[in-house]
Each structure stands twice: as C-alpha cells, then as structure tokens.
Amino acid sequence: MASPPPPPPPPKLPVPGRRNILVTSALPYVNNVPHLGNIIGCVLSADVFARYCRLRGYNVIYICGTDEYGTATETKAMEEKCSPKEICDKYHAVHSEVYKWFDIKFDKFGRTSSPQQTEVCQAIFQKLMENNWLTENTMQQLYCDTCQRFLADRLVEGKCPTEGCNYEAARGDQCENCSKLLNPTELIDPKCKVCKNTPRVRDTDHLFLELPLLSDKLVNYINETSVAGMWSQNAIQATNAWLKEGLKPRCITRDLKWGVPVPHEKYKDKVFYVWFDAPIGYVSITASYTPDWEKWWKDPDNVELFQFMGKDNVPFHTVMFPSTLLGTGEKWTMMKTISVTEYLNYEAGKFSKSHGIGVFGNDAKDTNIPPEVWRYYLLTNRPEVSDTLFTWADLQAKLNSELLNNLGNFINRVLSFVAKPAGAGYDSIVPDAPNAESHPLTKALAEKTNKWVEQYLEAMEKVKLKQGLKSAMGISSDGNAYLQESQFWKLYKEDPAACAVVMKTSVGVVYLLACLLEPFMPSFSNEVLLQLNMTPEESLSFCDDKGEIAKAKRPWDFVSAGHKIGKPSPLFKELKDEEVESFRNKFAGSQAERSSKAQADAEAKKVADKLKGTKLSDGGQKKEQKKQSGGSKSKNAEVDVTVAKLDIRVGLIRKAQKHPDADSLYVEEIDVGEEAPRTVVSGLVKFIPLEEMQNRKVCVLCNLKPVAMRGIKSHAMVLAASNEDHTKVELVEPPESAAVGERVTFAGYSGEPEASLNAKSKTWEKLSADLHSNGELVACYKDVPFTTSAGVCQVKSIASGEIR
C-alpha cells in the first residue's frame, strides 16, 4: 500500500534578525490562458527573484493568484455560456497547470474569489469610511436598453479619445494601445460588447476614494520609496505622469453581481470595482496561506515588499493601492521595490489575450521545447527598458548558440572528460589539485569568475534580471575559453598535475553555474547537480554566512577532491530550421484563425486521401514543348538564365522597428500575400528613416535561403537600389496600385522561380537601376525593368548603380 504524501511544510513567517522578503506578481486575469508576454511580465520575473532570494538564504515568500472578480470574468462567462464561478474554476486550473510547467515556484497561488478576500476587502473599506476618505457621488454611466443593464467598463468598446491615439477598439476602462485609463463615457462612438448597440448615458450613485485628499501622504511615500527601493525608470515615469495630470476622486464601486459586495445599506446591490479589490488580493491570498498574515503585511520595519508587473499595471500599484492602504491609518507593509516590464511583442505585432495572438502557455508545452529553454529565452529578452520582440528565429539562435554551444558544451566537455576511465580520464572521481592558485591560467580564470559573480550579485539585488543572467553566462564563456587555452587533453599525458588543476577548477565552475543559473533555469540546474551526483536540497546555496561567495575567488574549492560525479549526458538539443519554420507557420495569426486553418487542413487531407492513386501527368506535353522550342533564344534569353531563379513579389511593410541587438538593422514584418507576414532583416538604418519604413509597398525577394542576422532570422530580402559608391540607398518601389503578393516580372519575361536561392549568389552584381526610355528612373536588370501589372517599379533618384 502506497504511503500518503508528506504534509506540506508549515507556512513561513518573518524571522527577527533575518532579511524577510515578500514577493508578489500582478494577479493574472482568470478569463483566458496566459501568453508569453504575461508570463515574462509578472510571474516568471517574480519567480526568478524569489528563487534568487532563497539561493541567498533570505526568508522569502512568493504570493500570487488569479484575479477572478469583475467584468472580464462576467464577459467570458457570457461567451462560454456558463456562470462566472465555473469560468474561474476552469481557468484557475489552466493557469496553475501552465505555471507548474514553467517551473514557477509559488509559496501560495490562490484566488480572489475567496472568503478571505471578502473579509480583508470589507475591513479596509470600513477603515476608509471611518477616516472619511470616501464620498458619495452621482456619475453618468452607459446603460444598454437592449440588455437592460448598466454596462461595466469592459462591456463597452469605442474609439480612444486620447489625442494621437484614436485606437478603434479601446475598452471602457483602459486603452490597450496607449495604456491610458479611461471612463466609458469618454469613448468616441461607444458600443455594447454584448449586443453591439449604442448605449445611452444614465445617472447612477457610487462611492469614490478621495485621492486628492490623500495626495500629500501619497507623494511623500512615492518620493521616499522610489529612491530607497530603486524603482525601475518606467515605473517612475508612469507614476509621475499620473501625478502631473492631477489626482481625481476614483470610483470604487460598480453595478455588477460578480464581486465583493459593498457592506453599506445604500450600496448593498453593488460590488467593489476591480482596481480597488484586486490588489487587496495579495493580502487575502497571504491570509489563505497563513492565519498570521498580518506578520507579513503589517510589519514594515522587518518586511520588504517587492512587486512585479507589466507597465499597464503601474498606476494601480504606485497610486491606487498605496492610497488605499495609507487611508486606513494602519501600519501596512508598503511596496519597497517595483519591477516593471514593457511589452514583449510577437513576430508581427503585440501579444494579445483578447485577440488570441501569440504563443500561449499551453502552446509552449506543446512544442516539446523544454521549459528551461523557454525561461532562458524570455529572460534574455525581458523587456526591462523598452519593448522587445519574440521571434522563432531568435529563439533558435539563442538555444543553439548560447545554451547548446556555450553552456551545454562547457559542462558536457568537463564532466565527460572526468567520467572517462582511468588512462583517458579520472574514472568519474574529481582529482586533487594542490597549489591551484599558482597555475597562471587558472588564477586568471578565478579573477574573471569573481568579477562576474560580483556583477551578478549587484544586478540581482537591483532586480536587473537580464544583466544577472548575462553575468552568469559570461562565466560559461570564460570557462570554454579556459578549456581551449589549457589544452587539457594534452596536459593529461604531458603535465598530469596541471591537468588535474584545470579539471578540478572546471568542475567547480560547473557547480557554480548550476547555483547561479538556478533562479533562471531550475530544471537545468537540477539536472547538472544530478550529473555532479549532488542533491539540490543540500547543494543549492550561495550565502554570505556559509562562505560560498568567497569561493568564487577559488572555484577549485567548490567540489572536494575524491567526489564521485554522476553520469554526464547532453543538456540541450539543437532546434532545427524545419522545426522553426513549422512553429512559425503553426502559430501565425490568431488562435481563432489557427483553429480554422486546422479544420481546413483536415478537410484538405480528406480530399488528398481520396485522390491517392490518381495519376496526373503532362510530362509528354512538356517534352513536346521543349522539342518544339528547339533551343532558340529570345532577345531576353540572357535575362532568363538568372531571373528564372528569382521569386520577387510586391510586399507591404506592416511594421518596422530597430533590431534589438544591431544598430544598423531594421526588423520588418512584411505581407507578401501569404497566410502570415514574413520577418525580414534589412541593413537600411543609415539610409532610410524608420518612419519612412512604415506601411509602404516594396519589392521583396522571397526565395532566398533564410539567414540569421544578429539572432533574428530573415526570411526574405527587401530590394533597394544603391549608387556606385554605395553612399546613397533607396527602396525599389512598385506602383501604389500593385497588388500585395503579385509576382514582379521582367518586361517580356515570365518564368517559374526555382525552389531556393543561396544568399551568397552573385546575381546581385548584375542588377542595376538605370534611366528608362520614358525618362523615369526604374529598377532594371540589364536595362530590362522590374514590372507589375500596374506598371514598372521605380527608384527616386539613383540613375546608375546596383540593386542590393
């Protein structure tokens, strides 16, 4: 009979004299599956920091959960024809499963639809009432006569009123395009999301939190804490923008049924507005973790609060929630440090839960790419100061070059050599290495390693997670160089003592990497420790009081001589081009479009199966045509030889932005008439301003072999003309009326493109831009113009040179 599982560990409480850290991440809405942008923006970033704190021996708990009340849940319940509670139960389980797969280690992942939420939320409300920070007011709210209900913010969509934005699908509470918080009545041409009819404005009474009266307390808190807590710059900017606009009374109640009921006779049929009640969820989820929750939340002298979120959540955490806590007059643990991410964009545009665009948590699992690879890629691409771009080609490049060829290669080389039988290696026993510090190459490595560790610790303490990861990976790069320079395979026979120093030091560096990278890739670290024949529970630590940081200056001391390692095996697997292309196609468009495509593909397969055995052949006809042609050449025959290889199409640049890792390159998303836009990298930054790259038609060579350019794979090439000394470059432009996806041909020529063209082809040296007979400057191939059905393709002013 199987033994019962061990009981969960008792809840952790603050310990006097220790560093006590409370970590939260923005509570994800429960109305959908989280996408990669949500994951890196809050839960993954917070998980990395919480794991780092555990590694350092700090007393830390990580609290999160699903945000379950409000309009978003009611709307989703309408869509799925079920109750809000059923939606919450369903998606809470989905979120839990996704985060479990991503190795997110919460101390408590709870829910806001709990008795504790009602109790804590109503208690805070009562304190605000007692202290006279709440007022009653009549407000105008949109009412739908068709649905016979007041419309909550998220049940209204319209045009954003913000100057310069004008986003057509702004929600009633916030525009997701410009992030500005809105009231539904501010929207231009609002529509009810349920019935699509235009609602009317109607009066309704609500309770308001008087933010202007709390502003002095709030500003003092912000001025002190933003400096002491080293708030990220984007958090400071977003907060200051709110303060500059001037604080206004903020409504805290809503005409809904699904939420925390307002404990007030006049407003008993209303619930608390989600912005008021959701941040209180951090407190109530801690209350569901331990009945002694106040020891975490009402002890600011002994507890540090770190909060992680995306940039659209900043005002709720730096203005609204602090004002709420300050208004109670109680001694709350206020946020010390806030870490804010910008947006992670997906290939051709924004990740979007509402529109189903991007890679979602369950999608990542279905790719069979391990969670540690996803974690590494998202964290190296963490949008800390500006938006970053997810591309499949970049994921491939980082996996293959950084994880496989750098980190994995170093660890496998070291452990495989130690594991070799005596006479070829050390029979899995770590050798002794006396006087390692006297070995010049090893001493130099130790100095470099110690500097990387110092940088790692400094970055992580400041919540600069991307820099911390970069520092740890620097140790691996130096380790590879150390192995190569030492030529340990020769030393084994020629200088056994020196070889022992190199290998014992390298095993120590392997252990150090397992420790430093555990916050970022826990499953990777566990596997490395397994191959080192160590247990994570006993070995994963990097504390000051244990002297482990000092060992970074002496990496040969990390693993004792005589220790027997486990069985080495490769840690990462190469991601191949065909896999990347498959994922890129699979996850193009929205989830709804993917579903439709999957159904269409299934239907097409049925038809194809029916046609099996049917032979279609025109080979004899082709032979006859070839015979009749008799090998005669047209006047454009010389053109035909090269042009037959080129699949040039009219493309529309949907979006262009600077390459995140290259100053001279643009990354464009170009529609060439296919199901999904192509990612194209072009070296045009020095010649064409970014604003001139947006939404314009171009000529695109589509059958170049994909090439990775600084980590992003380019799947086509934009044609541009340059003058003879390459000081001037202009785009080759098809006529404005040319159809997107149309094949660009040559006058008098029409041929089928071959399957691929190598990027190193010399074809481009034969192409030029010359003055055409009608006086226009047109893009030409040996005086024969690029042509579409709408006319020739032109350049602005380059009279001669080449197409590039």
Side-chain angles (χ1 to χ4, degrees):
M1 186 174 177
S3 58
K12 287 182 277 186
L13 295 175
V15 178
R18 288 184 67 186
R19 191 172 178 195
N20 301 296
I21 294 179
L22 173 58
V23 176
T24 72
S25 56
L27 307 181
Y29 269 133
V30 77
N31 65 327
N32 215 322
V33 182
H35 58 59
L36 297 185
N38 303 137
I39 290 167
I40 185 57
C42 49
V43 293
L44 177 55
S45 295
D47 179 65
V48 171
F49 185 70
R51 286 178 178 273
Y52 166 76
C53 292
R54 295 184 196 112
L55 187 70
R56 296 298 311 282
Y58 306 152
N59 185 40
V60 60
I61 62 169
Y62 175 20
I63 299 295
C64 190
T66 42
D67 179 5
E68 303 196 350
Y69 285 140
T71 318
T73 308
E74 284 198 357
T75 306
K76 191 69 175 179
M78 288 181 199
E79 288 175 13
E80 298 197 11
K81 296 180 174 58
C82 61
S83 70
K85 185 181 184 307
E86 288 171 323
I87 282 290
C88 293
D89 291 344
K90 171 184 174 180
Y91 283 104
H92 177 80
V94 170
H95 278 257
S96 298
E97 189 62 33
V98 167
Y99 302 141
K100 181 180 177 182
W101 186 83
F102 269 94
D103 279 334
I104 308 296
K105 188 177 181 181
F106 305 106
D107 287 275
K108 179 67 178 180
F109 184 72
R111 312 174 64 166
T112 59
S113 61
S114 67
Q116 290 89 348
Q117 176 75 357
T118 300
E119 182 181 341
V120 177
C121 196
Q122 291 183 345
I124 288 174
F125 167 78
Q126 295 288 8
K127 284 289 183 183
L128 293 171
M129 284 288 288
E130 289 171 17
N131 295 336
N132 297 315
W133 298 117
L134 300 179
T135 56
E136 298 181 67
N137 210 334
T138 300
M139 64 183 290
Q140 293 186 319
Q141 195 171 334
L142 294 177
Y143 184 87
C144 180
D145 289 305
T146 306
C147 299
Q148 294 191 339
R149 62 185 291 180
F150 282 104
L151 296 180
D153 300 349
R154 286 178 173 245
L155 287 179
V156 186
E157 276 189 356
K159 191 174 182 180
C160 178
T162 307
E163 188 175 351
C165 179
N166 300 321
Y167 183 56
E168 295 285 348
R171 298 194 311 255
D173 61 341
Q174 188 173 28
C175 175
E176 68 174 21
N177 185 54
C178 70
S179 297
K180 185 174 177 64
L181 295 179
L182 300 169
N183 285 312
T185 51
E186 295 176 310
L187 292 175
I188 300 168
D189 191 24
K191 300 290 182 187
C192 171
K193 280 190 71 174
V194 179
C195 67
K196 308 304 179 188
N197 289 322
T198 301
R200 64 185 174 91
V201 176
R202 188 170 141 181
D203 288 347
T204 179
D205 291 339
H206 283 287
L207 288 165
F208 288 73
L209 178 63
E210 286 292 338
L211 291 178
L213 300 180
L214 286 159
S215 62
D216 288 345
K217 294 176 183 288
L218 177 67
V219 170
N220 286 339
Y221 159 74
I222 290 170
N223 289 342
E224 290 176 12
T225 312
S226 60
V227 176
M230 296 179 290
W231 288 12
S232 55
Q233 195 58 39
N234 45 10
I236 294 171
Q237 289 170 348
T239 304
N240 287 341
W242 256 64
L243 296 177
K244 188 177 178 181
E245 278 188 18
L247 297 177
K248 300 176 181 64
R250 195 75 185 177
C251 183
I252 68 167
T253 53
R254 274 294 180 260
D255 292 292
L256 292 172
K257 298 297 181 188
W258 182 245
V260 175
V262 179
H264 188 292
E265 184 60 30
K266 182 177 177 181
Y267 298 97
K268 62 184 180 182
D269 292 330
K270 299 180 190 286
V271 300
F272 287 115
Y273 193 2
V274 69
W275 76 257
F276 177 80
D277 114 272
I280 295 172
Y282 301 128
V283 182
S284 72
I285 292 169
T286 311
S288 66
Y289 169 67
T290 171
D292 295 320
W293 61 270
E294 290 187 349
K295 291 183 178 180
W296 283 106
W297 280 100
K298 292 188 177 180
D299 190 3
D301 296 330
N302 292 306
V303 176
E304 301 170 59
L305 174 58
F306 287 73
Q307 299 197 290
F308 292 78
M309 69 207 64
K311 64 181 177 183
D312 50 350
N313 265 318
V314 170
F316 301 108
H317 291 78
T318 62
V319 177
M320 308 291 203
F321 189 40
S323 296
T324 301
L325 298 182
L326 290 167
T328 65
E330 298 178 314
K331 197 175 180 183
W332 287 91
T333 300
M334 306 285 284
M335 177 181 63
K336 174 190 173 184
T337 298
I338 181 172
S339 180
V340 176
T341 55
E342 303 288 314
Y343 291 130
L344 175 70
N345 294 322
Y346 178 71
E347 295 262 351
K350 276 186 179 180
F351 277 93
S352 173
K353 277 203 300 184
S354 56
H355 298 118
I357 292 171
V359 179
F360 288 71
N362 49 348
D363 297 331
K365 184 178 179 180
D366 293 342
T367 63
N368 291 321
I369 297 171
E372 63 263 30
V373 174
W374 283 107
R375 286 177 64 112
Y376 177 82
Y377 178 70
L378 291 173
L379 289 158
T380 58
N381 222 14
R382 186 174 185 250
E384 291 182 350
V385 295
S386 62
D387 293 358
T388 57
L389 184 67
F390 171 98
T391 71
W392 287 102
D394 190 31
L395 172 65
Q396 178 192 29
K398 284 187 166 60
L399 167 54
N400 292 349
S401 64
E402 297 175 18
L403 292 179
L404 179 64
N405 295 337
N406 175 6
L407 181 64
N409 177 61
F410 170 69
I411 293 171
N412 195 250
R413 285 180 80 186
V414 172
L415 299 187
S416 295
F417 191 80
V418 172
K420 285 182 179 180
Y426 296 94
D427 202 21
S428 298
I429 304 298
V430 176
D432 197 7
N435 302 317
E437 62 271 17
S438 62
H439 186 254
L441 193 61
T442 299
K443 184 180 179 182
L445 175 72
E447 290 172 355
K448 290 178 185 176
T449 300
N450 186 55
K451 285 181 180 176
W452 282 124
V453 169
E454 287 175 353
Q455 289 179 27
Y456 171 89
L457 295 174
E458 182 183 3
M460 296 301 286
E461 290 294 331
K462 293 179 179 177
V463 202
K464 305 290 186 185
L465 305 184
K466 190 190 291 190
Q467 182 57 46
L469 179 54
K470 185 178 179 181
S471 298
M473 291 297 288
I475 295 172
S476 175
S477 298
D478 285 345
N480 270 312
Y482 172 67
L483 289 181
Q484 206 60 27
E485 196 173 345
S486 71
Q487 297 190 315
F488 64 92
W489 58 94
K490 291 183 180 179
L491 291 179
Y492 186 76
K493 298 291 186 184
E494 298 171 5
D495 190 346
C499 188
V501 168
V502 170
M503 296 319 295
K504 188 171 190 291
T505 301
S506 296
V507 171
V509 172
V510 169
Y511 168 78
L512 176 62
L513 285 167
C515 286
L516 299 186
L517 289 170
E518 193 278 341
F520 301 94
M521 297 184 288
S523 54
F524 155 82
S525 292
N526 287 345
E527 176 60 28
V528 172
L529 290 175
L530 183 68
Q531 294 186 25
L532 283 169
N533 193 25
M534 297 176 173
T535 59
E537 294 77 19
E538 296 172 2
S539 305
L540 272 180
S541 176
F542 206 63
C543 301
D544 297 288
D545 54 1
K546 294 184 181 179
E548 287 152 340
I549 294 173
K551 284 183 182 178
K553 299 177 183 177
R554 302 169 56 82
W556 50 85
D557 285 343
F558 275 120
V559 181
S560 303
H563 175 80
K564 185 172 184 177
I565 69 168
K567 184 180 179 181
S569 61
L571 293 159
F572 300 103
K573 180 185 173 186
E574 181 185 9
L575 187 60
K576 299 185 182 300
D577 287 351
E578 54 268 27
E579 293 176 287
V580 170
E581 201 57 35
S582 171
F583 292 140
R584 198 166 173 273
N585 292 329
K586 181 178 180 179
F587 297 109
S590 69
Q591 287 177 313
E593 289 167 344
R594 292 176 212 161
S595 177
S596 300
K597 182 179 182 299
Q599 292 174 4
D601 288 347
E603 289 298 318
K605 187 177 185 302
K606 287 181 186 177
V607 174
D609 289 343
K610 288 180 182 178
L611 290 174
K612 275 184 179 176
T614 304
K615 293 184 179 179
L616 302 174
S617 173
D618 60 354
Q621 183 182 354
K622 287 185 177 179
K623 287 180 183 177
E624 185 61 30
Q625 286 175 344
K626 187 173 182 182
K627 184 177 179 181
Q628 287 176 3
S629 67
S632 62
K633 295 182 179 180
S634 70
K635 68 176 182 177
N636 289 330
E638 189 179 0
V639 176
D640 295 356
V641 175
T642 305
V643 176
K645 296 180 180 179
L646 308 182
D647 177 13
I648 302 172
R649 301 182 212 166
V650 175
L652 177 65
I653 301 176
R654 296 287 186 191
K655 180 182 179 183
Q657 61 188 44
K658 293 267 187 83
H659 192 299
D661 295 317
D663 293 338
S664 63
L665 300 178
Y666 285 131
V667 180
E668 304 112 24
E669 297 301 325
I670 305 181
D671 182 355
V672 290
E674 297 172 336
E675 194 169 285
R678 293 197 185 198
T679 299
V680 181
V681 182
S682 306
L684 297 170
V685 171
K686 291 186 286 187
F687 304 103
I688 301 171
L690 182 59
E691 59 270 18
E692 292 184 18
M693 293 290 292
Q694 311 292 342
N695 298 309
R696 67 184 294 177
K697 287 182 178 175
V698 288
C699 293
V700 185
L701 178 67
C702 292
N703 63 335
L704 277 174
K705 186 178 179 182
V707 175
M709 300 175 74
R710 296 298 295 270
I712 297 180
K713 189 160 282 191
S714 183
H715 294 268
M717 176 174 167
V718 175
L719 296 190
S722 66
N723 57 4
E724 291 174 351
D725 61 0
H726 304 288
T727 57
K728 190 172 187 179
V729 174
E730 295 169 0
L731 290 173
V732 174
E733 295 189 283
E736 186 55 39
S737 57
V740 172
E742 178 185 353
R743 177 83 185 279
V744 177
T745 60
F746 288 78
Y749 170 76
S750 178
E752 290 300 316
E754 293 183 2
S756 96
L757 175 67
N758 192 295
K760 295 180 180 178
S761 168
K762 299 298 182 185
T763 303
W764 307 113
E765 295 177 2
K766 301 177 184 177
L767 298 172
S768 65
D770 293 323
L771 193 64
H772 198 41
S773 56
N774 64 2
E776 293 178 316
L777 291 168
V778 297
C780 300
Y781 174 91
K782 291 203 171 183
D783 300 326
V784 184
F786 290 113
T787 307
T788 71
S789 59
V792 295
C793 302
Q794 300 184 21
V795 292
K796 289 180 180 176
S797 60
I798 298 173
S800 64
E802 64 182 39
I803 302 294
R804 47 184 277 171

